[in-house]
Amino acid sequence: MSTQPPKKQPTRRRAKTPAMERVTLDLEHTHLGKKHPPGDEISVHPETARWLRDAGVVSPTTISNKD
């Protein structure tokens, strides 16, 4: 019989979720099932914000990061 404690399994760490970005719409856009007119501000994941910028849907600058 062993007198050593059992070996612990390594724990997996979750990647930290990036802060949401607040962007201003340049075009009408449906976000979370709701239509938003140009000029509205919405909060989106940073990758979504990049995609929307590349598509010309939002202004090229971020308003703020939201934690």
Side-chain angles (χ1 to χ4, degrees):
M1 186 163 190
S2 177
T3 58
Q4 295 180 347
K7 291 184 180 180
K8 290 184 179 180
Q9 294 293 326
T11 57
R12 293 184 182 174
R13 292 187 180 192
R14 284 186 168 178
K16 186 176 178 182
T17 304
M20 299 292 276
E21 288 187 27
R22 194 143 180 89
V23 295
T24 302
L25 296 172
D26 287 340
L27 302 173
E28 185 178 272
H29 177 69
T30 301
H31 179 65
L32 298 175
K34 181 181 174 189
K35 283 189 180 180
H36 294 273
D40 267 11
E41 296 176 3
I42 59 172
S43 293
V44 294
H45 186 276
E47 284 298 312
T48 303
R50 183 187 59 77
W51 183 84
L52 290 168
R53 275 188 214 96
D54 291 347
V57 177
V58 299
S59 298
T61 56
T62 299
I63 296 169
S64 64
N65 286 337
K66 188 177 183 180
D67 294 334

